[in-house]
Amino acid sequence: MAINVRGVGHVVLKVRDLERSVPFYRDVLGLKDVARYGGRATTRSRVSMAFFSAGDNHHDIGLLEVGPAASAPEPNGVGLYHVALKIGDSLDDLRRAKEHLEAHGVEILGISDHRVSQSIYFNDPDGNTIEVFVDADPAIWRDDPSAVATVAPLAL
């Protein structure tokens, strides 16, 4: 019998410097900075983390500081591709997010219509790709599950 997964609890991303990353996740993405663990990651045995909540969970994203010498994520390497964060249910919500990202100097990598959702993609300060999205009518994927595999450009 398989495990019955009921949702994704949280994601932990590796970053070089918490003091640089925390303002991005707090001020740009608007996540609540709920807790810290450890001190600065100056040695292998030292763990330093920050935890953020979108409001309903104790934490949704954790950041693990790995130090300034950490290599960038490999574009074609195995690993996490991106983290998707729901920000609303309307294109107006997505337009406001785009304006906010641009006002904070965040480079937008792409804007997509996935039929089941619409998204903006960008990187955090360490090159971890973030997707912010709004959901479309759930009937789209309930009636046609293959609609999930849709990508088209979207103009906001």
Side-chain angles (χ1 to χ4, degrees), residues 26-74:
R26 182 191 61 220
D27 302 336
V28 176
L29 295 181
L31 295 167
K32 182 178 179 187
D33 185 354
V34 295
R36 300 293 173 96
Y37 176 81
R40 293 211 39 96
T42 55
T43 67
R44 271 201 178 284
S45 61
R46 189 84 175 191
V47 175
S48 184
M49 296 183 75
F51 300 91
F52 297 87
S53 174
D56 291 332
N57 297 321
H58 42 77
H59 73 288
D60 297 288
I61 293 182
L63 301 179
L64 171 67
E65 184 174 72
V66 294
S71 60
E74 291 293 327

Coordinates of all heavy atoms in Angstrom, one line a residue, residues 26-74:
R26 N 11.0 38.0 2.9 CA 10.1 38.8 3.8 C 9.5 40.0 3.0 O 8.3 40.2 3.0 CB 10.9 39.3 5.0 CG 10.0 40.0 6.0 CD 10.9 40.7 7.1 NE 11.8 41.6 6.4 CZ 13.1 41.8 6.8 NH1 13.6 41.1 7.7 NH2 13.8 42.6 6.1
D27 N 10.3 40.8 2.4 CA 9.8 42.1 1.9 C 9.3 42.0 0.4 O 8.4 42.7 0.1 CB 11.0 43.1 2.0 CG 11.4 43.3 3.4 OD1 10.7 43.1 4.3 OD2 12.6 43.8 3.6
V28 N 10.0 41.2 -0.4 CA 9.5 41.1 -1.8 C 8.4 40.1 -1.9 O 7.3 40.4 -2.5 CB 10.7 40.7 -2.7 CG1 10.2 40.4 -4.1 CG2 11.8 41.7 -2.7
L29 N 8.5 38.9 -1.3 CA 7.5 37.9 -1.4 C 6.4 38.0 -0.3 O 5.3 37.4 -0.4 CB 8.1 36.5 -1.3 CG 9.0 36.1 -2.5 CD1 9.5 34.7 -2.3 CD2 8.3 36.3 -3.8
G30 N 6.7 38.8 0.7 CA 5.7 39.1 1.8 C 5.4 37.9 2.7 O 4.4 37.9 3.4
L31 N 6.4 37.0 2.8 CA 6.2 35.9 3.8 C 6.6 36.4 5.2 O 7.5 37.2 5.4 CB 7.1 34.7 3.4 CG 6.7 34.0 2.1 CD1 7.9 33.1 1.6 CD2 5.4 33.3 2.2
K32 N 6.0 35.8 6.2 CA 6.2 36.2 7.6 C 7.5 35.4 8.1 O 7.6 34.2 8.0 CB 5.0 35.9 8.5 CG 5.2 36.3 9.9 CD 4.0 36.0 10.7 CE 4.3 36.4 12.2 NZ 3.2 36.0 13.1
D33 N 8.4 36.2 8.6 CA 9.7 35.6 9.2 C 9.3 35.1 10.6 O 9.1 35.9 11.5 CB 10.7 36.8 9.2 CG 12.1 36.3 9.7 OD1 12.3 35.1 10.1 OD2 13.0 37.1 9.6
V34 N 9.2 33.8 10.7 CA 8.7 33.3 12.0 C 9.7 32.8 13.0 O 9.5 32.7 14.2 CB 7.6 32.2 11.8 CG1 6.4 32.8 11.1 CG2 8.2 31.0 11.0
A35 N 10.9 32.3 12.5 CA 11.9 31.7 13.4 C 13.2 31.7 12.8 O 13.4 31.7 11.6 CB 11.4 30.4 13.8
R36 N 14.2 31.6 13.6 CA 15.6 31.3 13.2 C 16.1 30.2 14.0 O 15.7 29.9 15.2 CB 16.5 32.6 13.5 CG 16.1 33.8 12.8 CD 16.3 33.7 11.3 NE 15.7 34.9 10.7 CZ 16.5 36.0 10.3 NH1 17.7 36.0 10.6 NH2 15.9 37.0 9.7
Y37 N 17.1 29.5 13.4 CA 17.8 28.4 14.1 C 19.3 28.5 13.9 O 19.7 28.7 12.8 CB 17.3 27.0 13.5 CG 18.0 25.8 14.1 CD1 17.6 25.3 15.3 CD2 19.1 25.2 13.4 CE1 18.3 24.2 15.8 CE2 19.7 24.1 13.9 CZ 19.3 23.6 15.2 OH 20.0 22.6 15.7
G38 N 20.1 28.4 14.9 CA 21.5 28.4 14.8 C 22.1 29.8 14.7 O 21.4 30.8 14.8
G39 N 23.3 29.8 14.3 CA 24.1 31.0 14.1 C 24.6 31.0 12.6 O 24.2 30.2 11.8
R40 N 25.5 31.9 12.4 CA 26.1 32.0 11.0 C 26.8 30.8 10.6 O 27.5 30.2 11.4 CB 27.0 33.2 10.9 CG 26.2 34.5 11.0 CD 26.7 35.7 10.3 NE 27.2 35.7 9.0 CZ 26.5 35.9 7.9 NH1 25.2 36.1 8.0 NH2 27.1 35.9 6.8
A41 N 26.6 30.4 9.4 CA 27.2 29.1 8.9 C 28.7 29.4 8.5 O 29.0 29.6 7.4 CB 26.5 28.6 7.7
T42 N 29.6 29.4 9.5 CA 31.0 29.7 9.3 C 31.8 28.4 9.2 O 32.9 28.4 8.7 CB 31.5 30.6 10.4 OG1 31.3 30.0 11.6 CG2 30.9 32.0 10.3
T43 N 31.2 27.3 9.7 CA 31.9 26.0 9.6 C 30.9 25.0 9.2 O 29.7 25.2 9.3 CB 32.5 25.6 11.0 OG1 31.4 25.3 11.9 CG2 33.4 26.7 11.6
R44 N 31.4 23.8 8.8 CA 30.5 22.7 8.4 C 29.5 22.3 9.5 O 28.4 21.8 9.3 CB 31.3 21.5 7.9 CG 31.7 21.6 6.5 CD 32.0 20.2 6.1 NE 32.3 20.0 4.7 CZ 31.4 20.0 3.7 NH1 30.1 20.3 4.0 NH2 31.7 19.8 2.5
S45 N 30.0 22.4 10.8 CA 29.2 21.9 11.9 C 28.1 22.9 12.3 O 27.3 22.5 13.1 CB 30.1 21.5 13.0 OG 30.8 22.6 13.5
R46 N 28.2 24.1 11.8 CA 27.2 25.1 12.3 C 26.1 25.2 11.3 O 26.3 25.3 10.1 CB 28.0 26.5 12.3 CG 27.2 27.6 12.9 CD 27.4 27.5 14.4 NE 26.8 28.7 14.9 CZ 26.9 29.1 16.1 NH1 27.6 28.4 16.9 NH2 26.3 30.1 16.5
V47 N 24.9 25.2 11.8 CA 23.7 25.2 10.9 C 23.0 26.5 11.2 O 22.8 26.9 12.4 CB 22.7 24.0 11.2 CG1 21.4 24.2 10.4 CG2 23.4 22.7 10.9
S48 N 22.6 27.3 10.2 CA 21.9 28.5 10.3 C 20.7 28.5 9.3 O 20.9 28.3 8.2 CB 22.8 29.7 10.0 OG 22.2 30.9 10.2
M49 N 19.5 28.7 9.9 CA 18.3 28.7 9.1 C 17.3 29.8 9.5 O 17.3 30.3 10.6 CB 17.6 27.3 9.3 CG 18.4 26.1 8.9 SD 17.4 24.6 9.0 CE 16.3 24.7 7.6
A50 N 16.5 30.1 8.5 CA 15.3 31.0 8.7 C 14.1 30.3 8.2 O 14.1 29.6 7.2 CB 15.6 32.3 8.0
F51 N 13.0 30.6 8.9 CA 11.7 29.9 8.5 C 10.6 31.0 8.3 O 10.5 31.9 9.0 CB 11.3 29.0 9.7 CG 12.2 27.9 10.0 CD1 13.2 28.1 10.9 CD2 12.2 26.7 9.3 CE1 14.2 27.1 11.2 CE2 13.1 25.7 9.6 CZ 14.1 25.9 10.5
F52 N 9.9 30.7 7.2 CA 8.8 31.7 6.8 C 7.5 31.0 6.6 O 7.4 29.9 6.2 CB 9.2 32.3 5.4 CG 10.5 33.1 5.4 CD1 11.7 32.5 5.3 CD2 10.5 34.4 5.7 CE1 12.9 33.2 5.3 CE2 11.6 35.2 5.8 CZ 12.8 34.5 5.6
S53 N 6.4 31.8 6.9 CA 5.1 31.3 6.8 C 4.3 32.2 5.9 O 4.4 33.4 6.0 CB 4.4 31.2 8.2 OG 3.1 30.9 8.1
A54 N 3.4 31.6 5.1 CA 2.4 32.3 4.3 C 1.2 32.6 5.1 O 0.3 33.3 4.6 CB 2.1 31.5 3.0
G55 N 1.1 32.1 6.3 CA 0.0 32.4 7.2 C -0.8 31.2 7.8 O -1.2 31.3 8.9
D56 N -1.0 30.2 7.0 CA -1.8 29.0 7.5 C -0.9 27.9 8.2 O -1.5 27.1 8.9 CB -2.6 28.5 6.4 CG -3.7 29.4 6.0 OD1 -4.2 30.2 6.8 OD2 -4.1 29.3 4.8
N57 N 0.3 27.9 7.8 CA 1.2 26.8 8.4 C 2.3 27.4 9.3 O 2.6 28.6 9.1 CB 1.9 26.1 7.2 CG 1.0 25.3 6.3 OD1 0.0 24.8 6.8 ND2 1.2 25.4 5.0
H58 N 2.8 26.6 10.1 CA 3.9 27.1 11.0 C 5.1 27.5 10.2 O 5.7 28.5 10.6 CB 4.3 26.0 12.0 CG 4.4 24.6 11.4 ND1 5.5 24.2 10.7 CD2 3.6 23.6 11.5 CE1 5.3 23.0 10.3 NE2 4.2 22.5 10.8
H59 N 5.4 26.9 9.1 CA 6.3 27.4 8.1 C 6.1 26.7 6.8 O 5.7 25.6 6.7 CB 7.8 27.3 8.6 CG 8.4 25.9 8.6 ND1 8.0 24.9 9.5 CD2 9.3 25.4 7.8 CE1 8.7 23.8 9.2 NE2 9.5 24.1 8.2
D60 N 6.3 27.5 5.7 CA 6.1 27.0 4.4 C 7.4 26.9 3.6 O 7.6 26.1 2.8 CB 5.2 28.0 3.6 CG 3.8 28.0 4.2 OD1 3.1 27.0 4.0 OD2 3.4 29.0 4.8
I61 N 8.3 27.8 4.0 CA 9.7 27.8 3.4 C 10.7 28.0 4.4 O 10.6 28.8 5.4 CB 9.8 29.0 2.3 CG1 8.9 28.8 1.1 CG2 11.3 29.2 1.9 CD1 9.0 29.8 0.1
G62 N 11.7 27.2 4.3 CA 12.9 27.3 5.2 C 14.1 27.7 4.3 O 14.2 27.2 3.1
L63 N 15.0 28.5 4.8 CA 16.2 28.8 4.1 C 17.4 28.3 5.0 O 17.5 28.5 6.2 CB 16.4 30.3 4.0 CG 15.3 31.0 3.2 CD1 15.6 32.5 3.1 CD2 15.1 30.5 1.8
L64 N 18.3 27.5 4.3 CA 19.5 27.0 5.0 C 20.7 27.7 4.4 O 21.0 27.6 3.2 CB 19.5 25.5 4.7 CG 20.8 24.7 5.2 CD1 20.9 24.7 6.7 CD2 20.8 23.3 4.6
E65 N 21.4 28.4 5.3 CA 22.6 29.1 4.9 C 23.7 28.1 4.7 O 24.1 27.3 5.6 CB 23.0 30.1 5.9 CG 24.2 31.0 5.5 CD 24.4 32.1 6.4 OE1 24.9 31.8 7.6 OE2 24.1 33.3 6.1
V66 N 24.3 28.1 3.5 CA 25.4 27.2 3.2 C 26.8 27.9 3.0 O 27.8 27.2 2.7 CB 25.1 26.3 2.0 CG1 23.9 25.4 2.3 CG2 24.8 27.1 0.7
G67 N 26.8 29.2 3.1 CA 28.0 30.0 3.0 C 28.3 30.6 1.7 O 27.8 30.2 0.6
P68 N 29.2 31.6 1.6 CA 29.5 32.3 0.4 C 30.2 31.6 -0.7 O 30.1 32.0 -1.8 CB 30.4 33.5 0.9 CG 31.0 33.0 2.2 CD 30.0 32.0 2.8
A69 N 30.8 30.5 -0.4 CA 31.6 29.7 -1.4 C 30.7 28.7 -2.1 O 31.1 28.0 -3.1 CB 32.8 29.0 -0.8
A70 N 29.4 28.6 -1.7 CA 28.5 27.6 -2.4 C 28.4 27.9 -3.9 O 28.2 29.0 -4.3 CB 27.2 27.6 -1.7
S71 N 28.4 26.8 -4.6 CA 28.2 27.0 -6.1 C 26.7 27.3 -6.4 O 25.8 26.9 -5.7 CB 28.7 25.7 -6.8 OG 28.0 24.6 -6.4
A72 N 26.5 27.9 -7.6 CA 25.2 28.2 -8.0 C 24.5 26.9 -8.5 O 25.2 25.9 -8.9 CB 25.2 29.1 -9.2
P73 N 23.2 26.8 -8.5 CA 22.5 25.7 -9.0 C 22.8 25.5 -10.5 O 22.9 26.4 -11.2 CB 21.0 26.0 -8.8 CG 20.9 27.2 -7.9 CD 22.2 27.9 -8.0
E74 N 23.0 24.2 -10.8 CA 23.3 23.9 -12.2 C 22.0 23.9 -13.0 O 21.1 23.2 -12.7 CB 23.9 22.5 -12.3 CG 25.3 22.4 -11.7 CD 26.3 23.2 -12.5 OE1 26.2 23.3 -13.7 OE2 27.3 23.7 -11.9

